Amino acid sequence: MALLLQVAATIAPVLLLALVGFLWMRLGWTYDAEFVTRLSMTLSMPCLIFMALVRSDVDPGMLRDTVMAALASYLAVGGIVWGLVRGLGLDMATSWAPLTFGNTGNLGLPIALFAFGQAGFDLAVVIFAVMAILSFTFGVWVVAGGGNPVTAVREPLVWGAVAGSIFLALGWSVPGWAGATLDLVGQMAIPLMLLTLGVAIARLRPGALGSALWLCLAKLAICVAAPLGVGLAFGLPRLALGVLILQVATPVAVTSYMLAAKYDARPDEVAGLVVVSTLLAVPAIPMLLIFFV
């Protein structure tokens, strides 16, 4: 019972902030989600990622192994999902990216921070960076049905991850005033993302919820089994293994819906995946945390 209460206390701030955003929208109050998302993705998140890596006390070897395990996990998940989508005759542009990539930013980062502390958060940041690079390159290419997959090089969060990795590898630091400024900017990211998640869910008009349930259950099973197998194969310690499984197993991100709407890839179906997988995550994530907290 004490462990269950600890897990509930861990995810409560995440759910409550998302609920505030949901209720804000339902009350009809103005919320410029496009502006907030741009602010988070182009300014606040890059600062958060950069400072997390610069100040990381995690063993560099563990960080390296976690990055490699994250890459291997997403490749495994992507390959399995590709076969599943082809086997079921689903539209690849609609289904592949949402079923492969999760909400590692809005949900994964804050839960990792509250559940595993700063060390777990540092690992979650590098996994998020791996996911973001894959999602903004090959993921966008699949959703768009072609195009240039190297557009990720223009994403500030990618540069934040690259710069932070360089500073971490070389043992560099930043001046106190610069670090304090970047910290203030980065601290906006998590609450803003959680509020925006709630607002976005309130705005969704999901479709095909019946099929979405089975697809989301399959996604959850694949996204737990793949990182578990990869993490064990890489010999990750308990902390890194727990964070890896948490990040890969997060539900479908709202950004998947935004991309589907942008490229006309059946956005209502993707909205159904977002809603159903997020609801499934409410019991699923606490159950996963019980094994690692």
Side-chain angles (χ1 to χ4, degrees):
M1 180 59 69
L3 182 58
L4 290 175
L5 292 176
Q6 180 183 352
V7 171
T10 296
I11 66 170
V14 175
L15 297 179
L16 289 175
L17 270 177
L19 179 62
V20 169
F22 182 87
L23 295 176
W24 186 283
M25 189 62 200
R26 287 299 185 183
L27 290 172
W29 294 344
T30 302
Y31 191 95
D32 192 339
E34 181 180 356
F35 166 75
V36 174
T37 300
R38 181 174 299 178
L39 177 67
S40 298
M41 296 297 288
T42 62
L43 181 63
S44 188
M45 274 301 301
C47 292
L48 179 70
I49 291 173
F50 175 76
M51 290 306 298
L53 290 172
V54 168
R55 291 181 172 159
S56 176
D57 291 327
V58 178
D59 176 66
M62 186 189 298
L63 279 176
R64 181 197 63 240
D65 291 344
T66 302
V67 169
M68 298 304 296
L71 179 60
S73 295
Y74 281 113
L75 290 176
V77 170
I80 296 171
V81 171
W82 191 282
L84 176 67
V85 171
R86 288 287 296 269
L88 294 176
L90 301 175
D91 182 58
M92 193 66 67
T94 302
S95 304
W96 184 80
L99 295 178
T100 299
F101 304 112
N103 203 345
T104 57
N106 297 68
L107 283 180
L109 290 181
I111 292 177
L113 177 61
F114 295 135
F116 300 104
Q118 188 61 46
F121 179 77
D122 293 345
L123 295 173
V125 164
V126 299
I127 297 171
F128 169 71
V130 171
M131 185 283 303
I133 293 172
L134 294 174
S135 176
F136 282 108
T137 53
F138 191 71
V140 172
W141 182 78
V142 172
V143 175
N148 187 357
V150 299
T151 53
V153 298
R154 296 197 297 265
E155 292 294 331
L157 63 86
V158 174
W159 284 105
V162 171
S165 300
I166 293 173
F167 272 65
L168 175 63
L170 298 178
W172 294 350
S173 60
V174 296
W177 60 268
T181 302
L182 293 172
D183 280 335
L184 282 175
V185 177
Q187 286 168 8
M188 296 188 297
I190 288 178
L192 284 178
M193 288 190 300
L194 290 174
L195 289 172
T196 305
L197 173 63
V199 169
I201 290 176
R203 288 177 172 173
L204 293 178
R205 297 295 180 266
L209 292 180
S211 60
L213 175 60
W214 296 108
L215 288 174
C216 291
L217 287 171
K219 169 183 170 58
L220 181 61
I222 294 168
C223 291
V224 171
L228 175 60
V230 170
L232 293 176
F234 274 76
L236 293 183
R238 184 183 183 88
L239 172 65
L241 180 60
V243 175
L244 177 65
I245 294 174
L246 167 67
Q247 285 288 67
V248 178
T250 49
V252 180
V254 177
T255 52
S256 293
Y257 167 76
M258 295 176 180
L259 287 173
K262 179 178 180 179
Y263 294 106
D264 195 25
R266 304 179 186 176
D268 286 348
E269 293 185 20
V270 179
L273 294 174
V274 172
V275 171
V276 173
S277 64
T278 302
L279 292 175
L280 285 176
V282 175
I285 288 179
M287 290 176 64
L288 289 175
L289 291 178
I290 286 175
F291 293 98
F292 296 100
V293 174

